[in-house]
Amino acid sequence: MSVKGKAPSRPTTLSEAWALRWPERHLLTICALAISLGFMMVLGSGYAEGQPFKVMDLAPFAIYGACLAVMHITLVAARFHGDQILLSSLAFLAGFGLLAQYRMGTLDLSDPTSASLYLFPGSIALMLAVCLALMRGRYERLKDGLWIWAGLSLLLVAALLALGQRYRGGVYGAGLITPTEFLKVTVVLFLASFVDRNAKPLANWGKGFPRPPLKALLPLGVFWAGLTALLLLQRDLGMFVILSVTLLVMLLVGTQRLGYMVLGGLAATAAGYLMLSLFSHGQRRIQAWLMPFEDPTGNSWQILQGLTGMYSGGLWGEGFGEGNPEYTPIAQSDFIYSVIGEELGFVGCTLIVIFFLIFFSRGLGIADQTRSNFGRLVCIGLTTVLATQTFLNLGGVTKFIPLTGITLPFISHGGSSLVTSFISLGLLLAISEGPAKTQGAGTRKKTATRPESGDTKQKRPASKKKPTAKAKAE
Amino acid sequence: MTLPLDPSLWSAVRLVLHVAFFLAVFFLLKELVGLRDLARLRNLPKPKGRFRVAFVLLTLLFGGLLIYQATWQLTGVYRPEFISFMQLHDRRGFNPAHRIQRGRILDRKGEALAYTRERNGQVERIYPDGPIFAPVVGYTQPRFGATGMEAVASVHLNGGEPTSLDDWGELGRQIVAGDKRPKGKDLVLTLDAELQRLAIERLGDNRGAVVLLSPQDGAVRVLASQPAYDPNHIDSALFLKRGPSAPLLNRATQGLYPPGSTFKIAVAAMAIEQGFQGTLDCPAEGFTTSSAYRRIRDHEYYSARQHGEVWRGYGRIGLAKAFSKSSNVFFAQLGAGYGHDTFYAMTDRMLLNRNITLHETPYGRFSLRTGELARIADSDKYGLAQLSIGQGRILVTPAYMALLAASVANQGIAVRPRLIDAASSAPLGRFMSAATARQLASMMRSVVTEGTARGINDPRLAISGKTGTAENPQGDPHSWFVGFAPAERPQLAVAVLVEQGGYGSAVAAPIARDLLIRAQEMGLIR
């Protein structure tokens, strides 16, 4: 078996990188194809209703295609050798989100200065910037910023409290910006740094009867109390749940102590009771969840309208652009999933969930393969944040769990949420590249000469030629 | 600039795009999985599978979510409240809930008592007989919900209750094909439309109830209540009407009335079970437990006095004669003599103070109340004497009295009444021994041949029964007739109640006779 002609795992030349990233190119092409079909559906249903054709109608798809191309070329040019599946599954989800936003009319095309038009390319650019800045193991430096991340987190919430607007029992940022969204990154970075630095004392639960290491936990506890207080002051229950789950998972992964989960479970029960008795809008949501038909035109109106849309869609859906999602309040952000259910049916919903699961499996996979403790913790943290957010959103919309008012990552309308998700992705990609070259050289040689990977190598040269030819033809 | 896009052409193009989109996404998925190995991260250490459990948990969590979602999205017909909500509040023209071909409700011969019609893209429910079947069928209306069988069997009627393989196939086909006019299933009741109409006709303008059922299998043939409401026109005013003429009250199953003399059936059964053989003195001056209370007298005393005559009383009579003449004095003494414990043991065995379910689903139940009997103090002898003639602190429903008559007709065993033709019959309990039932049956026959109900003795059909004229605080006495036919091999049991109708023998008994004879003509009695 020859290793010649096969892309090395660490490309040094452009052509090697081009060859290495063939799967990504291939998958992104199919992605673009699928999304273009979706665009045709949305556009066509508009024309069928008598809308005039405008060249700008094609802009979203052009933007999407261009973004994919730029993203791929940038990664090849940077000789990036990180995960490709993660990026491809995300490209589909993000494209789908763009499609859904376009369909909901939240992408304003008539105004070239509209921020929403630049949000998607901007997010991709930001993701690439984060990835390139932190790849080759440079992400390790983030852990030195331990208290910077903590301060930044508290500052973000405090800023929102000071500047935000109160609306229906919650605090919202002005315009597109919800600063607290960025907590999903800063808090993860803080936790990863903290747990990485204090892994030993945190794992020491004493001999005999297990008790948590209170002394080691103290700084974390102080920070967390402050964060919780600020979050609850602005009634951001969803964010609080996401961050708390992340805290527990990261403590568990970082210390291998199941006791943190037990403690967390107890704390969650207590916090749940406390919050229900403190917040009236929390009680209303529980009521709407348990007894949706008690007050169908009031409290439960939104959730029932969402479910109605899904029931109308059935298994296959009414067709993209054919439904009436405008009957569901705030469909473009929190309830985007019910729009998917209405227009693409249960099958469409299942596909979205599968893509999310692939995305999460890659997040966990990268964590599994990352040797650096800090890198692994960041991976796990970011994946947990996104998985919890996805579950809270889908569960709320389908009435599986009470509604928390959380957006769906990559798909919902919401600038800060989208930007944050892409920054998380950039971080994950950077970590998937592994440590700096000098450190990894030994590992690479070992893997390259591993005999059991031979069968996969045999396949590769055959499958490689076709794609390169195809790529050149393009 | 407009794109020439014919709407008719678009629907075909749309379908193609829809399918193509799914195929493209499936292909992407396939490639993602296929290239997983090729795109492996070879620059990192080999995977150890540390987070495999976490991923499995995550998959289970989202899988559970999808399954739960399917119970709304795909099998929403299982949720009647959800369907009603959509029919009322959803403006999506393509929502199948607006065009569910809800099953019909049929009588035992297949006559439609309720059916669905589509008009202006919305379905509406039609009840051809208006109020006649409302006490059983109920109504279904998005704004006001549903009652009666429309509510209880709602899921079945909407097609969400597959029982056979074919049903499952049909449900699956509707889901896969994205059927925009899902078809429900018919519901066949045991009711006989013709007899029920006759019952309502014979009740006329009176308030009252008629129940006719088969003693052996519990099939309810008539369950009429008057006045009722028209289920074709439900409005909020209907729910405000209260008081004695409340149209929403199902008098047959929920209306509580003093049973009067008809309750002597139960007391006679108790006495026979206790081995009563002798006679009791029944003087004209009546019976009381204490001089402080009004004397309980026989009807003959009052009617004689009305005509300025003097009645000398029955003297010493046995149970059979007292039963056929409906002697209050006799039964008051009889009941008071056996005491409270014996009395309450009997009423407990005969299921008073209960609810009996006729049909039940997770979405509701159709049940009948048996009656309301207060537990009076052991020292209250007079109260017990009153209870023994069906007055005082005892109230029963007409459906219960029909059940009591049916138990006599069925050798002492009461069978659970049922309204669904396909439901199997189940025994409810033994009200009395077979020997007691036989003796009681012959006593009830004598009531018609020589007793208070001799006015309805008809050569065409041997009817057995018991009349009742129940005093009540509202005014004129309620008129009762409870019985069965034919006397020798009973096939139908009946209870007729006419509110403030006067004498049982004069008002209720003829209605019962007419119904039973019509049933015989129709072949329900052979």
Side-chain angles (χ1 to χ4, degrees):
Chain A
M1 64 188 77
S2 88
V3 189
K4 217 173 68 179
K6 167 193 106 63
S9 56
R10 281 178 179 275
T12 44
T13 66
L14 259 183
S15 67
E16 274 177 347
W18 179 256
L20 176 80
R21 299 201 79 74
W22 170 73
E24 180 179 281
R25 196 156 52 248
H26 179 63
L27 292 172
L28 290 183
T29 312
I30 305 173
C31 236
L33 174 77
I35 298 297
S36 73
L37 288 168
F39 266 107
M40 283 192 224
M41 276 203 267
V42 177
L43 286 175
S45 74
Y47 300 144
E49 281 166 20
Q51 269 174 30
F53 172 79
K54 292 195 299 285
V55 181
M56 271 304 271
D57 287 352
L58 298 173
F61 182 68
I63 290 173
Y64 178 67
C67 282
L68 291 193
V70 167
M71 185 168 77
H72 182 67
I73 290 166
T74 311
L75 290 177
V76 169
R79 326 274 200 273
F80 180 73
H81 47 265
D83 205 297
Q84 310 188 39
I85 301 282
L86 185 67
L87 206 62
S88 310
S89 62
L90 170 98
F92 176 75
L93 286 174
F96 199 89
L98 195 67
L99 203 52
Q101 290 314 318
Y102 179 53
R103 185 262 168 278
M104 293 303 298
T106 38
L107 283 180
D108 188 8
L109 300 171
S110 54
D111 180 13
T113 58
S114 142
S116 57
L117 202 57
Y118 303 105
L119 189 62
F120 188 76
S123 305
I124 297 269
L126 199 57
M127 175 196 85
L128 288 173
V130 168
C131 175
L132 297 186
L134 299 175
M135 64 189 231
R136 310 263 192 271
R138 285 191 287 266
Y139 64 86
E140 291 285 351
R141 274 181 230 157
L142 290 176
K143 71 176 158 194
D144 301 333
L146 171 62
W147 295 108
I148 297 176
W149 301 128
L152 198 56
S153 304
L154 294 176
L155 204 66
L156 282 171
V157 202
L160 180 60
L161 262 182
L163 306 171
Q165 298 153 332
R166 288 201 165 266
Y167 174 64
R168 285 178 67 174
V171 180
Y172 296 84
L176 278 171
I177 301 148
T178 317
T180 41
E181 286 290 333
F182 297 103
L183 286 179
K184 290 171 188 167
V185 176
T186 56
V187 170
V188 167
L189 287 175
F190 163 74
L191 285 173
S193 321
F194 184 84
V195 175
D196 178 48
R197 195 176 289 182
N198 303 301
K200 271 235 174 75
L202 283 175
N204 181 12
W205 277 53
K207 289 190 179 99
F209 186 77
R211 53 192 182 277
L214 291 177
K215 211 178 150 201
L217 278 172
L218 187 67
L220 181 63
V222 170
F223 167 77
W224 207 257
L227 185 69
T228 306
L230 286 173
L231 278 178
L232 294 188
L233 263 180
Q234 49 168 305
R235 315 259 174 101
D236 201 344
L237 223 62
M239 180 64 73
F240 174 68
V241 173
I242 292 177
L243 294 181
S244 302
V245 171
T246 310
L247 168 75
L248 292 178
V249 170
M250 288 177 78
L251 278 174
L252 175 72
V253 171
T255 64
Q256 306 287 318
R257 282 280 172 189
L258 267 176
Y260 284 114
M261 277 289 163
V262 178
L263 271 186
L266 292 175
T269 319
Y273 271 112
L274 207 66
M275 253 169 251
L276 279 185
S277 48
L278 283 179
F279 299 127
S280 59
H281 83 301
Q283 279 168 351
R284 280 204 303 275
R285 279 171 175 178
I286 294 279
Q287 192 78 11
W289 173 54
L290 288 176
M291 285 170 285
F293 297 106
E294 289 278 287
D295 186 12
T297 53
N299 265 339
S300 324
W301 177 255
Q302 190 182 19
I303 179 114
L304 285 178
Q305 277 295 334
L307 289 169
T308 299
M310 295 211 249
Y311 175 78
S312 309
L315 186 64
W316 304 105
E318 190 60 19
F320 223 178
E322 298 289 310
N324 290 115
E326 60 273 20
Y327 296 149
T328 309
I330 356 180
Q332 73 276 17
S333 64
D334 295 8
F335 272 70
I336 196 78
Y337 188 66
S338 80
V339 178
I340 298 170
E342 178 172 340
E343 305 209 321
L344 294 172
F346 187 67
V347 174
C349 288
T350 311
L351 286 171
I352 290 293
V353 169
I354 290 176
F355 274 94
F356 268 113
L357 283 174
I358 291 176
F359 183 82
F360 302 145
S361 87
R362 282 319 300 151
L364 294 173
I366 294 169
D368 183 27
Q369 282 183 277
T370 298
R371 194 176 283 173
S372 141
N373 209 18
F374 175 71
R376 183 164 63 241
L377 282 169
V378 172
C379 264
I380 285 294
L382 294 176
T383 310
T384 309
V385 165
L386 288 171
T388 314
Q389 191 185 345
T390 307
F391 185 75
L392 286 184
N393 177 276
L394 302 193
V397 172
T398 54
K399 211 188 80 68
F400 193 50
I401 54 171
L403 209 54
T404 35
I406 287 285
T407 53
L408 185 59
F410 303 114
I411 295 185
S412 281
H413 180 67
S416 312
S417 168
L418 194 70
V419 170
T420 313
S421 306
F422 273 102
I423 292 178
S424 308
L425 185 77
L427 259 166
L428 283 174
L429 285 176
I431 294 167
S432 77
E433 229 211 2
K437 214 173 190 180
T438 41
Q439 285 176 318
T443 333
R444 177 170 66 91
K445 243 167 220 159
K446 237 195 268 168
T447 19
T449 49
R450 206 181 290 276
E452 62 261 32
S453 51
D455 53 345
T456 46
K457 278 177 203 155
Q458 264 180 334
K459 263 191 245 156
R460 237 169 270 131
S463 57
K464 205 212 85 197
K465 265 179 196 145
K466 191 173 53 174
T468 3
K470 194 171 145 203
K472 263 175 200 158
E474 278 168 359
Chain B
M1 177 171 155
T2 46
L3 217 62
L5 193 56
D6 197 315
S8 61
L9 186 68
W10 166 240
S11 64
V13 174
R14 183 179 68 94
L15 197 68
V16 171
L17 283 175
H18 201 88
V19 173
F21 177 75
F22 278 139
L23 286 178
V25 179
F26 279 124
F27 182 59
L28 177 61
L29 257 182
K30 183 189 152 279
E31 290 295 292
L32 259 176
V33 175
L35 291 176
R36 195 185 41 192
D37 221 34
L38 191 58
R40 210 174 31 150
L41 291 172
R42 275 167 292 135
N43 53 316
L44 295 179
K46 257 199 107 185
K48 287 185 188 153
R50 242 178 301 196
F51 300 112
R52 208 165 281 162
V53 177
F55 183 66
V56 168
L57 284 178
L58 212 54
T59 310
L60 287 178
L61 205 58
F62 279 94
L65 188 148
L66 280 175
I67 289 170
Y68 182 75
Q69 181 188 340
T71 65
W72 290 90
Q73 190 163 12
L74 303 182
T75 56
V77 284
Y78 282 100
R79 301 174 183 272
E81 288 167 309
F82 184 42
I83 297 288
S84 302
F85 171 82
M86 292 193 288
Q87 286 173 345
L88 190 62
H89 294 298
D90 187 34
R91 288 174 289 165
R92 292 171 180 84
F94 58 92
N95 190 338
H98 295 309
R99 281 176 298 280
I100 286 183
Q101 307 294 300
R102 195 173 159 92
R104 296 169 301 165
I105 297 181
L106 306 171
D107 90 329
R108 70 183 184 99
K109 285 185 276 187
E111 198 175 326
L113 310 180
Y115 64 90
T116 285
R117 183 171 75 184
E118 199 174 323
R119 210 169 66 177
N120 305 333
Q122 295 267 338
V123 286
E124 61 178 355
R125 200 73 167 151
I126 307 290
Y127 304 91
D129 281 282
I132 295 179
F133 297 95
V136 178
V137 169
Y139 62 81
T140 180
Q141 213 267 358
R143 188 176 301 276
F144 297 105
T147 62
M149 289 315 257
E150 287 275 40
V152 178
S154 187
V155 172
H156 172 97
L157 290 165
N158 281 344
E161 207 173 63
T163 45
S164 68
L165 208 61
D166 283 353
D167 292 350
W168 280 105
E170 172 62 19
L171 190 67
R173 191 198 62 74
Q174 286 182 5
I175 290 171
V176 171
D179 200 331
K180 291 295 179 195
R181 301 178 57 163
K183 218 169 142 46
K185 279 167 71 183
D186 289 348
L187 182 73
V188 183
L189 300 180
T190 54
L191 290 189
D192 188 287
E194 200 186 329
L195 285 176
Q196 177 117 353
R197 285 190 203 110
L198 177 68
I200 292 292
E201 184 197 318
R202 291 291 282 107
L203 278 173
D205 293 334
N206 290 308
R207 294 195 296 264
V210 176
V211 179
L212 198 70
L213 53 81
S214 157
Q216 285 82 23
D217 64 5
V220 178
R221 300 304 181 195
V222 173
L223 195 80
S225 170
Q226 175 106 321
Y229 56 93
D230 185 353
N232 292 304
H233 304 104
I234 303 293
D235 57 24
S236 48
L238 176 64
F239 302 93
L240 300 173
K241 288 182 191 152
R242 304 236 171 255
S245 57
L248 279 171
L249 173 69
N250 186 343
R251 287 167 173 72
T253 57
Q254 307 296 323
L256 291 170
Y257 303 94
S261 300
T262 54
F263 198 65
K264 288 170 187 162
I265 298 172
V267 178
M270 173 184 81
I272 297 168
E273 303 264 275
Q274 293 291 323
F276 182 85
Q277 295 272 327
T279 56
L280 291 173
D281 187 27
C282 301
E285 56 266 34
F287 167 78
T288 185
T289 54
S290 154
S291 55
Y293 297 118
R294 212 172 79 104
R295 303 186 77 84
I296 295 170
R297 296 182 201 259
D298 280 320
H299 161 67
E300 277 76 1
Y301 169 83
Y302 295 108
S303 66
R305 202 173 62 169
Q306 216 170 22
H307 295 99
E309 295 161 17
V310 175
W311 182 63
R312 285 178 298 156
Y314 287 120
R316 286 202 85 82
I317 53 172
L319 183 63
K321 174 145 190 220
F323 190 82
S324 82
K325 295 292 176 200
S326 196
S327 168
N328 289 338
V329 178
F330 182 92
F331 276 92
Q333 290 181 72
L334 188 71
Y338 279 115
H340 291 73
D341 289 346
T342 315
F343 183 82
Y344 283 105
M346 175 271 293
T347 56
D348 198 47
R349 186 181 184 188
M350 294 189 181
L351 304 180
L352 272 163
N353 287 333
R354 306 282 167 86
N355 269 308
I356 294 173
T357 303
L358 276 66
H359 187 58
E360 189 175 14
T361 67
Y363 303 97
R365 82 164 56 148
F366 197 103
S367 63
L368 69 86
R369 269 171 101 172
T370 54
E372 224 173 66
L373 169 66
R375 170 84 214 195
I376 58 169
D378 280 359
S379 54
D380 189 1
K381 292 268 188 213
Y382 187 76
L384 183 60
Q386 274 201 312
L387 289 179
S388 304
I389 59 166
Q391 298 285 168
R393 300 180 67 183
I394 181 168
L395 297 170
V396 296
T397 61
Y400 173 71
M401 290 315 290
L403 186 65
L404 182 61
S407 77
V408 178
N410 191 36
Q411 301 178 342
I413 296 171
V415 176
R416 184 182 293 277
R418 62 187 173 91
L419 281 165
I420 307 293
D421 196 51
S424 53
S425 60
L428 200 57
R430 183 175 271 287
F431 279 12
M432 62 197 76
S433 74
T436 307
R438 262 196 306 283
Q439 195 179 334
L440 201 50
S442 78
M443 282 160 56
M444 283 169 78
R445 175 67 187 140
S446 310
V447 171
V448 178
T449 53
E450 55 206 47
T452 49
R454 58 189 177 277
I456 63 160
N457 200 4
D458 195 291
R460 287 171 290 178
L461 181 64
I463 301 172
S464 307
K466 180 79 193 77
T467 57
T469 309
E471 301 293 335
N472 66 83
Q474 278 85 32
D476 286 345
H478 296 321
S479 177
W480 277 100
F481 183 82
V482 171
F484 53 83
E488 288 312 308
R489 5 160 228 102
Q491 284 164 9
L492 278 180
V494 67
V496 177
L497 166 91
V498 182
E499 283 185 30
Q500 268 104 47
Y503 290 119
S505 53
V507 183
I511 297 177
R513 176 199 57 201
D514 291 355
L515 279 170
L516 289 169
I517 285 179
R518 176 68 71 85
Q520 185 184 33
E521 287 164 4
M522 283 168 41
L524 265 174
I525 294 174
R526 279 189 206 106

